Amino acid sequence: MHTHHFSRRAFLRGAGVSMALPWMESFNVWGDEPKRDKPASEAPVRLCVTFSGNGFHSQEWWAKGEGKGMELGKVLQPLHEFREKLLFVRGLYHEEARKGNIHSSQTGNMLSGAPIASGGEIRSGTSFDQVLAQTYGRSTKVPSLVLACEKSNPSVHKNYSMLYSSHISWSSPTTPTPLELYPALAFDRLFKDEASPADKSVLDAVLAEARDLKRDISLNDQRKLDEYLDSVRDVEKRIENAGKRGELQGWRPTLEKPNIKRPADGIPQDIGEHMKLMIDLLVLGFQTDTTRITTLKLNNDHSALRFPNLPSVQQAGHGIDYMIHHLLSHSDGEDWLKVNQFFMEQLAYLARKLDSIQEGPRTLLDNTMIMHCSSMMAGARHDNDQLPVIVLGGAGGRIKGGRALDYKDKPERQLCRLFISMMDKMDHHPKTFGDAKMMLEEV
């Protein structure tokens, strides 16, 4: 193997752009010191928090058993292939979220457990993903990438700001972390260093340096670099085509056709493509170590999304666009179950992509914690005495999957205990967080 002289953080650079390199066996790219008798350093642990609003089908969110024998309810069936890397957590809740008993009051402290202000005032608590971004995330170009597939709602509902329903990530008690809805702008944040023409390809700008690099790395790393560059090119092309389809999600405009020229960059109009693009971007962020902390809000609580891309069971021959997500959640019908499964399919897509990327002896999924949550168990009841939570991935070998943990009848069942445990896996060790004073030892 060649001896390489790269900086502690390895990048491909071009005019106004930089792309951090994925893990490679040929040299140390993560910024820590290589271990003795090993050619490269170990990959870091990553955190991804995903959220979908309005809860799930009341009878089909469950898991039991362990390992290969783990059984999953119908909502979680899309994750069946990852059951050995799945941790199902039942019975945790936020005491403070129960005080308003409405969507916004149940969502505004989803990742903090903090008391939230009413009367239209904005005050919650710093979310645990942002605590990690301000500590663990400082070593990366982008400390935290916060993505969304539905715009925020600035109105007030039943004495609580709907910004609580629109944001789960909070940089401070009075500052919801800005959401990035536009794939093109999220891409720029990951890879561009300065303002440049929107049509300038990031990949084209670094190809010359990539060709030079390939001469000095192993065959395995050459293949890894080619796969990575192909992924970047694919995302660039899909972003370029985003928004050209005719399906519209959520709120319906008063005009059938726009009366102004369509902007060059925009939000994809196919909700499935929008979600997959955002997932691909966060995977690239992890793969390149451009960021280690991501939050993806697939939709709002009290969501107005519609799903014409999903064929309706209850209204044959139509899509599930006859009712917005929020109202659909007030039933336990077949269409509601199908929408639930659609969200889990996005999670499976994320897990599949991460699991296909090898980082030494582990995969990127093995080095990641994905926590998916919602702010209520079932939308029809607004019940949040136990919250739906699952964790996918191994946190660098620190989490054992294939288990169902039940805290429903136990004391000290604060959801913030899970957050303390997850922060601990990333070498941040708070003694308390939110309303919790200890971690979940089983995690």
Side-chain angles (χ1 to χ4, degrees):
M1 183 176 294
H2 297 282
T3 300
H4 303 280
H5 301 284
F6 292 93
S7 65
R8 287 169 64 82
R9 182 163 298 282
F11 291 90
L12 296 176
R13 299 186 185 275
V17 304
S18 61
M19 290 171 54
L21 290 169
W23 183 93
M24 292 185 179
E25 66 182 12
S26 301
F27 59 91
N28 172 32
V29 299
W30 296 118
D32 57 340
E33 296 299 327
K35 294 186 177 181
R36 185 177 180 181
D37 301 325
K38 291 187 178 181
S41 57
E42 289 187 355
V45 177
R46 283 65 146 225
L47 170 71
C48 174
V49 177
T50 58
F51 172 88
S52 56
N54 301 319
F56 299 99
H57 192 289
S58 64
Q59 302 301 314
E60 295 297 343
W61 177 272
W62 56 267
K64 59 184 179 181
E66 60 183 33
K68 290 183 179 179
M70 178 179 268
E71 299 177 47
L72 303 176
K74 290 181 181 178
V75 172
L76 294 170
Q77 275 302 311
L79 297 172
H80 183 262
E81 66 186 280
F82 299 106
R83 62 197 182 281
E84 292 182 80
K85 299 185 180 186
L86 185 150
L87 190 64
F88 181 86
V89 186
R90 178 176 181 259
L92 301 180
Y93 82 117
H94 287 315
E95 178 63 32
E96 290 292 338
R98 305 198 70 202
K99 294 180 179 179
N101 195 33
I102 195 64
H103 288 271
S104 48
S105 68
Q106 294 180 201
T107 311
N109 60 6
M110 186 72 239
L111 302 184
S112 70
I116 65 172
S118 58
E121 184 184 349
I122 306 297
R123 177 170 288 277
S124 179
T126 304
S127 54
F128 90 96
D129 65 312
Q130 291 306 304
V131 171
L132 285 170
Q134 295 159 14
T135 53
Y136 188 84
R138 287 177 181 170
S139 59
T140 57
K141 177 182 177 182
V142 179
S144 168
L145 188 66
V146 179
L147 307 173
C149 297
E150 185 175 12
K151 66 181 181 179
S152 62
N153 184 347
S155 66
V156 175
H157 182 228
K158 295 189 177 180
N159 208 33
Y160 285 93
S161 170
M162 290 294 282
L163 287 176
Y164 292 137
S165 293
S166 308
H167 295 267
I168 60 170
S169 182
W170 290 72
S171 301
S172 78
T174 56
T175 310
T177 312
L179 302 172
E180 187 52 76
L181 278 83
Y182 294 86
L185 297 182
F187 186 88
D188 290 348
R189 188 169 180 222
L190 287 173
F191 298 121
K192 292 190 178 181
D193 295 331
E194 60 188 39
S196 57
D199 59 354
K200 181 180 178 64
S201 167
V202 166
L203 191 58
D204 288 345
V206 300
L207 278 180
E209 189 162 335
R211 285 192 289 268
D212 290 340
L213 174 64
K214 285 183 68 174
R215 300 190 186 102
D216 294 320
I217 57 179
S218 69
L219 288 175
N220 282 339
D221 282 345
Q222 288 179 31
R223 285 192 289 269
K224 181 181 288 288
L225 182 61
D226 285 339
E227 290 171 359
Y228 166 56
L229 296 177
D230 286 344
S231 295
V232 175
R233 178 72 77 190
D234 176 65
V235 170
E236 279 194 325
K237 288 180 178 178
R238 286 166 55 208
I239 288 175
E240 184 180 350
N241 292 327
K244 293 182 179 179
R245 296 177 184 171
E247 297 174 350
L248 293 175
Q249 316 297 326
W251 172 78
R252 299 305 179 91
T254 55
L255 293 173
E256 289 187 2
K257 296 182 180 180
N259 59 1
I260 60 172
K261 185 178 179 181
R262 177 185 175 276
D265 295 331
I267 298 174
Q269 295 181 25
D270 179 286
I271 189 61
E273 176 63 10
H274 193 182
M275 289 180 179
K276 284 185 168 57
L277 262 175
M278 291 311 208
I279 289 169
D280 290 345
L281 287 167
L282 76 84
V283 170
L284 285 176
F286 283 168
Q287 190 178 5
T288 60
D289 202 31
T290 305
T291 189
R292 297 174 183 176
I293 313 291
T294 65
T295 308
L296 173 59
K297 182 176 64 69
L298 294 171
N299 70 333
N300 295 338
D301 213 49
H302 210 281
S303 173
L305 285 187
R306 299 174 190 261
F307 303 89
N309 57 313
L310 302 178
S312 171
V313 176
Q314 296 171 216
Q315 297 188 13
H318 298 276
I320 307 179
D321 57 351
Y322 57 86
M323 193 178 289
I324 63 171
H325 186 272
H326 169 227
L327 296 179
L328 195 64
S329 75
H330 288 191
S331 72
D332 267 349
E334 288 295 319
D335 284 351
W336 177 233
L337 176 59
K338 197 162 190 175
V339 169
N340 290 177
Q341 291 174 328
F342 171 74
F343 281 104
M344 291 302 106
E345 285 164 5
Q346 309 315 306
L347 200 58
Y349 176 79
L350 169 59
R352 202 169 294 117
K353 291 209 68 162
L354 293 174
D355 212 30
S356 70
I357 297 168
Q358 202 69 33
E359 293 185 334
R362 302 188 183 100
T363 69
L364 183 45
L365 179 60
D366 295 330
N367 289 324
T368 299
M369 292 180 288
I370 307 169
M371 185 188 81
H372 188 81
C373 57
S374 190
S375 57
M376 60 190 70
M377 182 60 74
R381 296 196 296 266
H382 290 187
D383 54 339
N384 62 348
D385 62 326
Q386 56 173 318
L387 295 171
V389 178
I390 57 173
V391 178
L392 276 168
R398 301 175 188 183
I399 291 180
K400 179 185 177 183
R403 295 183 295 153
L405 303 179
D406 191 349
Y407 298 92
K408 184 65 175 71
D409 298 317
K410 296 181 180 179
E412 304 295 332
R413 56 188 188 94
Q414 300 91 345
L415 180 56
C416 287
R417 291 184 64 192
L418 174 62
F419 302 160
I420 294 176
S421 295
M422 295 176 74
M423 287 189 278
D424 183 72
K425 310 298 182 190
M426 303 183 81
D427 298 320
H428 182 70
H429 310 290
K431 293 182 179 179
T432 64
F433 185 76
D435 58 355
K437 298 179 180 179
M438 67 184 84
M439 66 174 68
L440 288 177
E441 294 81 1
E442 296 87 350
V443 174

